[in-house]
Amino acid sequence: MPAFVARQAPGLAAEYGFWQNTLWKGFHQGLIGHGIIALALNCRQLVREGRGDRGRYQALVSRPGAAGPAIHALFDVVANQLAMGASYVGHLRGIARHLGSVMEGDDLTRFRAIMATMEGQLDAASECLVGNLLAEGGPIVVAITDIGLAAGGNGAILTARGIVQIGPAVARPSPVPADVLATARLALDWWAGAEPALRQAAQLILMIDRLADATARQSFAMDTLAAIRNDCRQVCAMIDTGPPDQWADAGLRRLADWADAMMRIEFAEPVSRQIPG
């Protein structure tokens, strides 16, 4: 949250920070760690012990307190927590109205266009880094590199959408692509020539745009959660309701492959890189 907003509304800033932290923990530690990875770990353990009895696997997805039921509950928790973020959009728009006409000028429109271009470039960079790596074997790391724009000695003034890198465990944080650097230079040049009030407007509108986009019912984040939920339902259905005559052969083998693939994925803590002004 921009520093000037935190000074004006410290209670809102504290609540927003708590929401962010709760959302990340609910997704990363809860849904992924205690849900999906826990189910994969339990399945793999049974497979390694040579357990072919389908009932043992069904217990994982149906018994109260087991990983399967926990996953479905955690999906609802994370989705609801994400949707709660929409409530902050109205508060922030109220603060924006107090900034007056600066929120409606052509200068701010140009800044938003620059940032939209850069975020599109970052999304494209992420897509290029994602390959069919699970089929290649070995550990896979999911890493997020947040891109910050820094002005002089003042530290990061704006945070662009991060680059998501999926690659071997030995991979280092992704370098910033040349087209992103060029667009970041345009943003920094814009910032250098902006008055303080316009800078505040830029920080605020960027946050509002992203928050509104992320928490919308049809947002990319919501669609991604729905896709992960669907994949987990297919895994649970394969265990619980798949054709009995296929379980000992195809069903158990597919489940073992899925569990092995999930256990090779590691989520690294996000790292930050600053583009100096």
Side-chain angles (χ1 to χ4, degrees):
M1 182 167 289
F4 81 94
V5 176
R7 288 192 297 268
Q8 290 182 24
L12 177 64
E15 186 180 325
Y16 179 79
F18 179 78
W19 170 76
Q20 279 188 307
N21 188 52
T22 302
L23 178 61
W24 174 249
K25 284 186 175 180
F27 175 76
H28 182 245
Q29 298 178 10
L31 178 58
I32 300 298
H34 296 156
I36 297 172
I37 300 302
L39 177 60
L41 179 62
N42 291 335
C43 289
R44 191 176 69 163
Q45 183 64 32
L46 289 176
V47 171
R48 289 187 170 185
E49 291 174 356
R51 310 286 187 176
D53 178 14
R54 189 175 191 176
R56 291 179 178 270
Y57 297 89
Q58 289 174 327
L60 296 177
V61 299
S62 60
R63 187 182 69 246
I71 289 174
H72 297 302
L74 288 167
F75 268 117
D76 291 335
V77 169
V78 173
N80 290 336
Q81 188 68 30
L82 178 59
M84 285 176 60
S87 65
Y88 298 109
V89 174
H91 293 294
L92 295 170
R93 284 175 175 163
I95 295 173
R97 283 193 290 271
H98 289 292
L99 294 180
S101 60
V102 70
M103 295 296 298
E104 302 173 358
D106 292 340
D107 284 338
L108 192 58
T109 300
R110 178 170 173 265
F111 169 78
R112 294 172 82 179
I114 292 172
M115 295 304 294
T117 297
M118 184 163 62
E119 292 186 353
Q121 292 167 337
L122 290 169
D123 286 343
S126 296
E127 292 175 7
C128 290
L129 290 166
V130 176
N132 189 22
L133 295 167
L134 288 177
E136 297 179 7
I140 301 298
V141 170
V142 179
I144 299 174
T145 303
D146 291 327
I147 306 299
L149 306 183
N154 296 326
I157 54 174
L158 297 167
T159 300
R161 183 176 296 162
I163 298 176
V164 179
Q165 181 182 16
I166 301 178
V170 296
R172 297 291 183 268
S174 172
V176 181
D179 60 343
V180 174
L181 288 172
T183 307
R185 177 58 54 191
L186 293 176
L188 288 167
D189 288 345
W190 181 95
W191 185 271
E195 296 294 330
L198 189 54
R199 291 180 179 182
Q200 289 183 347
Q203 289 179 308
L204 187 53
I205 198 62
L206 187 61
M207 182 178 181
I208 292 172
D209 286 348
R210 289 177 179 157
L211 191 57
D213 180 64
T215 58
R217 290 185 179 273
Q218 300 299 319
S219 69
F220 175 78
M222 289 292 192
D223 289 346
T224 300
L225 273 178
I228 298 173
R229 183 197 289 260
N230 185 59
D231 287 344
C232 288
R233 281 175 173 165
Q234 291 184 35
V235 172
C236 291
M238 179 172 57
I239 296 172
D240 201 33
T241 61
D245 58 337
Q246 296 181 14
W247 168 253
D249 183 17
L252 186 56
R253 185 175 65 253
R254 286 177 58 201
L255 180 63
D257 290 343
W258 172 82
D260 285 341
M262 292 300 101
M263 294 308 301
R264 285 162 41 210
I265 299 176
E266 172 188 343
F267 286 82
E269 286 296 319
V271 297
S272 297
R273 305 187 72 171
Q274 290 189 5
I275 300 175

